[in-house]
Amino acid sequence: MTLGAMLLLAAIMLRVNTANLTNESIRDDAQYGVLATSIATSIIEEAQSKAFDENTDTMNVTLNTQLTSVLGPETGETENTFDDFDDYNGLTKRDSTMPSATFDISCQVVYVEPDNILGSTTDRTWNKKLIVTITRPVAADSSVLALRTSSIFSYWYFR
């Protein structure tokens, strides 16, 4: 009888510890998700506060052939001196400012067609999409995807 009681107690303790560990893991993932979402939102809002294109920074363009064909920062530009939306193409950095997590951030900017916003095109269009991918390193040689989000920025010129 004692042996049966001890087996039952051990099984209950194992189940409680497993449930507790699962709950902590879910809570941590949710916390990392909120932090990653905040970082991505900040990057997207900052990018959208810039000019649509290097050529629309100081003048208006009326033909999409006047837009930049190569997306990314111009020679000599750094993150602190980005002046247009597509400068964020190729941006990679590590954010370790939070005591609870470190995130690796990478950005990609592509042109998109209005009828296929999930894809991309090599043609210049009035729409650009910023894709922000945030991962969380879990070991020296591996990481976990924390968040991937995107936002479309369009150029509107009214005469």
Side-chain angles (χ1 to χ4, degrees):
M1 186 93 125
T2 304
L3 186 57
M6 289 186 71
L7 264 167
L8 183 61
L9 179 62
I12 291 171
M13 286 179 59
L14 183 62
R15 183 150 311 252
V16 167
N17 285 339
T18 301
N20 196 20
L21 183 61
T22 301
N23 288 341
E24 286 180 19
S25 176
I26 290 170
R27 184 200 61 198
D28 288 346
D29 287 344
Q31 180 181 5
Y32 294 134
V34 168
L35 294 173
T37 301
S38 296
I39 292 169
T41 300
S42 295
I43 291 171
I44 289 170
E45 287 179 356
E46 182 179 330
Q48 289 181 337
S49 73
K50 313 289 185 196
F52 176 76
D53 191 85
E54 183 66 24
N55 296 334
T56 65
D57 187 21
T58 57
M59 63 180 194
N60 295 317
V61 297
T62 56
L63 300 170
N64 57 9
T65 55
Q66 295 173 300
L67 298 173
T68 304
S69 60
V70 179
L71 302 176
E74 288 70 41
T75 304
E77 279 188 330
T78 64
E79 186 180 0
N80 293 333
T81 59
F82 285 173
D83 59 355
D84 61 273
F85 187 79
D86 66 72
D87 286 346
Y88 288 84
N89 189 38
L91 175 67
T92 59
K93 64 181 181 175
R94 175 166 278 192
D95 186 338
S96 57
T97 59
M98 291 169 264
S100 61
T102 298
F103 293 103
D104 291 325
I105 303 160
S106 65
C107 299
Q108 179 186 13
V109 177
V110 294
Y111 281 110
V112 294
E113 295 285 351
D115 58 348
N116 183 17
I117 61 172
L118 297 179
S120 65
T121 182
T122 55
D123 297 331
R124 290 176 270 187
T125 69
W126 301 115
N127 309 290
K128 293 178 184 176
K129 178 170 59 173
L130 171 60
I131 305 162
V132 181
T133 304
I134 300 180
T135 57
R136 184 173 51 87
V138 292
D141 60 346
S142 66
S143 60
V144 173
L145 178 66
L147 177 74
R148 177 174 289 129
T149 188
S150 62
S151 180
I152 296 176
F153 190 42
S154 299
Y155 181 69
W156 301 96
Y157 172 69
F158 299 97
R159 286 168 242 183

